[in-house]
Amino acid sequence: MQAQRTILNLLAAAVLGLFLWWAEGHLDGYKIQILNLIAVNIILALSLNLIYGFTGMFSLGHAGFMAIGAYVCSVLILDPAQKEMLFILEPAYTWVQQAQAPFFVAVMAGGLAAAFFGVLVGAPLLRLGDDYLGMATLGFAEIVRVLAINLPRVTNGALGFKGIPGHANLWWNYAWCVFTLFFVVRLVASNSGNVFKAIRDDESAAKAMGIDVFRHKLLSFSLGAFFAGVGGALLGSLVATIDPKMFNFVLTFNVLMIVVTGGLGSITGSVVAGVVITILLEWLRVVENPLFIGDWELPGIPGMRMVVFSLALICIILFRREGFMGKREFNWGWLLRSLGNKAGRHGS
Amino acid sequence: MSLAMFLQHGLNGLTLGSLYALIAIGYTMVYGILRLINFAHSEIFMLGAYFVLWGTTLFFLPWYVAMVVAVVVTAGVGILVDRVAYRPLRDAPRISALISAIGVSFFLQNLTIVAFGAIPREVYRPLWLETPMLMGEVRVLPLTIFVPTLSFLLMLGLVWVVYRTKAGLGMRAISKDIETSYIMGVSVNRIISLTFGIGSALAAASGIMWALRYPQLQPVMGSIPGFKAFIAAVFGGIGSIPGAVVGGVILGFTEIMAVAFFPDLAGYRDAFAFVLLIAILLIKPTGLMGAKLEDKV
């Protein structure tokens, strides 16, 4: 069964690869952009799910970690000549000016920087419970934003960066996405993963069993921060422009919505919801732009998109709190069995 | 800095502080009863100001009538939010209600964008509030006296409700122990609705006066004052009404004074409150006047 599963996993990866190869040649730029956003959103959703869904730490600091990842990565992949043009408010520090790295290293550095801040912030904050942790991490994200505005020699202040090289193509994004998926799946199935779930279900009981709660919370939090940083780094390269205004609470809200919709503590849920909600978010842009029916113009309604989504989030929390998947996961055995049953019924 | 300047900044700080305090009361009352951070409270604050705009431009009400109507309508919205989005989740894990509150916050904010547009709107201000008077050497805006005075009166009214009426007794009982209150025959849901109504009315009053002070209405105008008021409530000790007032006034005062004394720090103004929040949560999570909350194992 183990070998069979590995083969099926590899097969699925190959199908994904083939699809990406086809998409690259046949789809227009806008659709490819949506595919890219899907990959990034899945990474972000998985990282928040690790922190909140599997370890039970209600964190609202995702936008902060993403900002750190995006800024670190962008500084490393912009070339020095470009940076000289960009920093018009105040000249950059020399180390900012000179920093350079290949894309992979830059994304890694973004993730590691975010993870570093995850440890730095997590160490004091993680002993706070539930809602207080949420507000404190939200405070952290806001502080990152204010710092980004007020350190013009590193971040170019409120103007941010423009013309970030678009290295983050389909292949990079999906490679990171698959790696994140693989890592989180293995982590959750490992001993540490069991400890995370024990802490989520009952922290006091976990402590009584002799688990080092603090260390495991910090581990989960900083790993989540790492992948949030990676997501931010990819997003920065994908949209080519970053500024402090972009990393506000709406960004965290979107990720939270994906995780809650998919199901807290369900990796499958995060992936499925990541795909569906990203497409819906783009598709509903139609509502906000003017619509033409013949000569007749239906004016666009700005704000309508988020009205729909916030309403959807409220409905999910009210009527289906466990999300689409609950804590269930996709597995090959179940798929094969149900396919087998169908085939069997057809045969008889 | 001369004494006159100091007094002027002091009045500004008191004005800002009492606006924060009025919002903070709503946070603290709801938290005291439901252990819920009412994330949508900052949007209630914003709606109060927008309803005045609506009343004066759409229904041509005189501004003082529009204000009273706006306070009443906003209180209704607060009650409705509790009824629809929080009440069904009373028995759910606490974070579910918080996520619902975040959803409501985004919903109200974007509904306002749909209804009024995202463009900042001017609001009418009576002229006498902003013609400075000279008191000795101090230039005083009547507004900076009007706002703290009205806020003080509103708070007196609140204290009367909470400590001198039967409904107030119910509120205090529920905040001590919600289940026992049920058993003792307190009509818990009605009292909770009343709490949301009062909290929202105070937030609306604050939003309306905020619009007099900073006359630009924006759908997102509630977030920052809302966060800061929440921080003020935590600072004062969440669950405690006097704590919320003291926390709000101290926060407003410190903010104005910090910017007045260290103009270089003006850019960090919004971060200051969050640093304060994290510091309090780490050093003394119960705040200045809060009762100790213990997790039951």
Side-chain angles (χ1 to χ4, degrees), chain B residues 26-228:
Chain B
Y27 277 115
T28 223
M29 284 173 79
V30 168
Y31 195 91
I33 288 183
L34 295 177
R35 303 280 176 272
L36 163 72
I37 298 171
N38 184 9
F39 221 87
H41 202 55
S42 47
E43 267 54 58
I44 297 285
F45 161 88
M46 173 271 295
L47 280 179
Y50 264 96
F51 283 143
V52 173
L53 180 74
W54 218 353
T56 48
T57 55
L58 228 58
F59 297 103
F60 305 106
L61 297 173
W63 63 277
Y64 43 89
V65 179
M67 283 182 182
V68 176
V69 173
V71 168
V72 174
V73 174
T74 318
V77 174
I79 294 172
L80 191 70
V81 166
D82 166 58
R83 183 74 191 77
V84 173
Y86 304 153
R87 196 188 286 185
L89 294 170
R90 293 271 200 270
D91 299 323
R94 270 166 60 197
I95 295 297
S96 299
L98 180 56
I99 293 176
S100 180
I102 294 175
V104 171
S105 161
F106 270 77
F107 175 71
L108 292 178
Q109 202 177 83
N110 286 286
L111 198 65
T112 313
I113 296 180
V114 169
F116 296 97
I119 308 150
R121 303 282 287 267
E122 282 285 327
V123 72
Y124 169 78
R125 298 201 287 179
L127 208 62
W128 58 271
L129 279 175
E130 34 177 350
T131 14
M133 307 181 293
L134 268 180
M135 284 183 165
E137 295 208 344
V138 191
R139 281 163 58 89
V140 177
L141 273 182
L143 192 69
T144 56
I145 296 180
F146 171 75
V147 170
T149 313
L150 188 58
S151 306
F152 183 71
L153 291 177
L154 287 172
M155 288 169 204
L156 274 188
L158 176 76
V159 168
W160 179 77
V161 169
V162 174
Y163 292 99
R164 287 283 178 276
T165 64
K166 206 164 178 189
L169 186 65
M171 285 178 197
R172 283 179 289 146
I174 296 173
S175 70
K176 281 265 186 293
D177 188 332
I178 190 163
E179 269 122 32
T180 313
S181 309
Y182 263 117
I183 301 168
M184 302 303 275
V186 178
S187 40
V188 170
N189 276 329
R190 204 185 303 159
I191 299 283
I192 290 176
S193 288
L194 183 70
T195 309
F196 271 92
I198 292 175
S200 305
L202 292 179
S206 176
I208 293 164
M209 290 192 277
W210 186 278
L212 295 177
R213 184 87 180 82
Y214 309 97
Q216 285 252 313
L217 295 192
Q218 270 176 293
V220 291
M221 68 184 259
S223 341
I224 295 282
F227 278 139
K228 286 187 182 159

Side-chain angles (χ1 to χ4, degrees), chain A residues 90-120:
Chain A
E90 273 171 65
Y93 293 114
T94 0
W95 53 271
V96 174
Q97 176 68 31
Q98 265 149 35
Q100 274 266 259
F103 185 55
F104 177 74
V105 179
V107 175
M108 251 340 231
L112 288 175
F116 172 73
F117 275 90
V119 175
L120 209 67

Side-chain angles (χ1 to χ4, degrees), chain A residues 52 58 124-125 128 130-132 135 138-139 142 146 150 249 253 301-304 306-307 310-311 314 317-318 321, chain B residues 31 37 84 89 92-96 98 103-104 106-107 110-111 113-114 227 230 238 267-268 271 274 281-282:
Chain A
Y52 177 33
F58 188 63
L125 290 187
L128 299 172
D130 298 345
D131 39 5
Y132 277 116
M135 294 312 276
L138 180 58
E142 283 299 308
V146 173
N150 286 294
F249 187 49
F253 176 79
I301 315 166
M304 204 58 195
M306 285 313 280
V307 168
S310 45
L311 214 53
I314 297 170
I317 279 290
L318 288 182
R321 218 181 307 144
Chain B
Y31 195 91
I37 298 171
V84 173
L89 294 170
R94 270 166 60 197
I95 295 297
S96 299
L98 180 56
V104 171
F106 270 77
F107 175 71
N110 286 286
L111 198 65
I113 296 180
V114 169
F227 278 139
F230 170 74
I238 196 138
Y268 291 96
F274 286 104
L281 289 180
L282 293 176

Side-chain angles (χ1 to χ4, degrees), chain A residues 107-256:
Chain A
V107 175
M108 251 340 231
L112 288 175
F116 172 73
F117 275 90
V119 175
L120 209 67
V121 174
L125 290 187
L126 288 181
R127 56 193 162 110
L128 299 172
D130 298 345
D131 39 5
Y132 277 116
L133 178 63
M135 294 312 276
T137 45
L138 180 58
F140 157 74
E142 283 299 308
I143 291 170
V144 169
R145 231 159 55 84
V146 173
L147 284 180
I149 297 173
N150 286 294
L151 295 174
R153 299 194 68 180
V154 184
T155 61
N156 200 20
L159 296 179
F161 296 145
K162 286 185 193 63
I164 301 164
H167 295 310
N169 56 14
L170 278 178
W171 299 105
W172 274 119
N173 289 328
Y174 276 89
W176 273 107
C177 179
V178 169
F179 170 69
T180 312
L181 185 61
F182 177 76
F183 187 92
V184 174
V185 167
R186 296 308 296 251
L187 179 69
V188 167
S190 72
N191 200 16
S192 298
N194 286 334
V195 173
F196 293 164
K197 283 179 252 176
I199 294 174
R200 170 193 67 192
D201 293 339
D202 193 332
E203 193 172 325
S204 312
K207 214 176 248 167
M209 300 298 286
I211 288 171
D212 189 345
V213 170
F214 176 72
R215 232 190 71 204
H216 281 93
K217 274 181 154 184
L218 198 59
L219 178 69
S220 163
F221 192 69
S222 48
L223 283 173
F226 173 80
F227 285 113
V230 167
L234 295 173
L235 189 67
S237 168
L238 193 63
V239 298
T241 312
I242 56 172
D243 60 49
K245 232 191 291 164
M246 168 179 158
F247 296 98
N248 58 14
F249 187 49
V250 181
L251 214 54
T252 309
F253 176 79
N254 286 344
V255 181
L256 182 69

